[in-house]
Amino acid sequence: MVGSPAAEDAIARARRLPSLKIGLHVTVVRGKPVLPPEHIPDLVDPDGMLPRDLFRAGVRFAFHGRVRRQLAAEIRAQFEAFQRSGLPMDHVDAHNHMHYHPTVLRLILEIGREYGVRAVRIPHEPLLPSWRAAERHGIAARMAWSLFLGPWLSLMRARVRRTGLATNDAMFGMSDSGHMTLDRVLAILRELPDGVSEIYFHPAAVEWNEGDPLTEGYEREGELAALTSPEVAAALRKYGIECTTFCEIAR
């Protein structure tokens, strides 16, 4: 999130870890823009932040031409900020998965082509493996999301691949966001389907309040413990799972 307060620190850390692959997390809602608010007055809230209401933002992105032009300018500014970091771009995705939105996806693909994007995350979480890994909890919500988003995700994947970009086949962490602790991760590894899956986390060494109600109650320290646990490393070996990156599958 190149507009976030900690972006400079994150970039400095990434430069010290050349094997770490970094993606651009395009932020068009619930975050700080890169452009000054006066340059994108129809895109930001009165406090100068990107909109917090995802539904209202999506309607404005779709039907207001001036908002779309400012949205394109902000997305371009984020690509430029990433480019200035000097870090190779592993892939692109969007905060709160807003690249579900056809306008946001179109702009990311069009602008991203100019900045050498080679891969885009597709937020497709397989229903049954996800449900089984969650000890068969939350089937109604998982099924609703699967039925609602399934057709669009198929179109989204086809659209991305038509541009020649690589994508993942599956993704885990959406239904259990913020709660990818050791037991859940081990269960997901047992349920991974064939193909390329992304498992995403929100790990941290300490808990903090980032001001987003969606992230209240996230088990960040537990997620970090899962990622660094010998049990997870052993499970990867046991199931023959190969760790990779988007830039590797984009070759």
Side-chain angles (χ1 to χ4, degrees), residues 28-231:
V28 296
V29 293
R30 293 179 176 161
K32 185 176 181 293
V34 169
L35 292 175
E38 59 269 24
H39 291 188
I40 47 173
D42 301 295
L43 189 62
V44 296
D45 289 342
D47 59 1
M49 299 294 287
L50 294 163
R52 293 175 175 83
D53 186 328
L54 272 61
F55 178 79
R56 184 169 181 269
V59 171
R60 286 167 59 77
F61 294 167
F63 297 109
H64 292 263
R66 191 163 61 182
V67 173
R68 284 198 303 274
R69 288 190 291 274
Q70 293 176 22
L71 177 67
E74 174 62 25
I75 291 174
R76 180 176 295 279
Q78 292 184 26
F79 273 99
E80 290 176 352
F82 190 102
Q83 187 177 65
R84 286 195 299 273
S85 75
L87 297 170
M89 185 180 293
D90 181 66
H91 68 285
V92 175
D93 54 43
H95 190 43
N96 291 144
H97 309 296
M98 278 299 290
H99 57 318
Y100 276 133
H101 194 291
T103 300
V104 177
L105 179 62
R106 175 178 61 81
L107 290 172
I108 286 175
L109 294 178
E110 290 177 357
I111 296 169
R113 186 180 300 115
E114 303 174 31
Y115 292 86
V117 170
R118 295 194 296 157
V120 176
R121 168 206 275 173
I122 299 294
H124 164 60
E125 188 167 53
L127 172 61
L128 292 179
S130 167
W131 174 61
R132 288 193 296 262
E135 299 178 349
R136 291 169 165 75
H137 291 156
I139 185 62
R142 294 171 200 272
M143 186 175 293
W145 276 110
S146 181
L147 293 173
F148 177 70
L149 293 173
W152 170 241
L153 282 168
S154 297
L155 292 172
M156 186 180 181
R157 178 177 284 107
R159 186 175 183 182
V160 170
R161 286 180 171 165
R162 276 200 306 271
T163 65
L165 302 181
T167 69
N168 52 303
D169 299 301
M171 184 196 73
F172 292 84
M174 186 163 67
S175 299
D176 305 294
S177 191
H179 306 287
M180 303 291 282
T181 50
L182 179 59
D183 289 347
R184 182 62 45 82
V185 175
L186 292 174
I188 287 172
L189 294 179
R190 288 195 299 269
E191 296 290 342
L192 278 187
D194 291 339
V196 177
S197 293
E198 177 185 4
I199 306 176
Y200 80 86
F201 298 79
H202 297 82
V206 296
E207 300 295 333
W208 84 100
N209 178 13
E210 63 180 279
D212 186 343
L214 289 180
T215 65
E216 291 179 3
Y218 273 18
E219 300 175 79
R220 299 179 185 278
E221 292 172 288
E223 293 199 354
L224 179 61
L227 278 168
T228 56
S229 72
E231 291 93 337

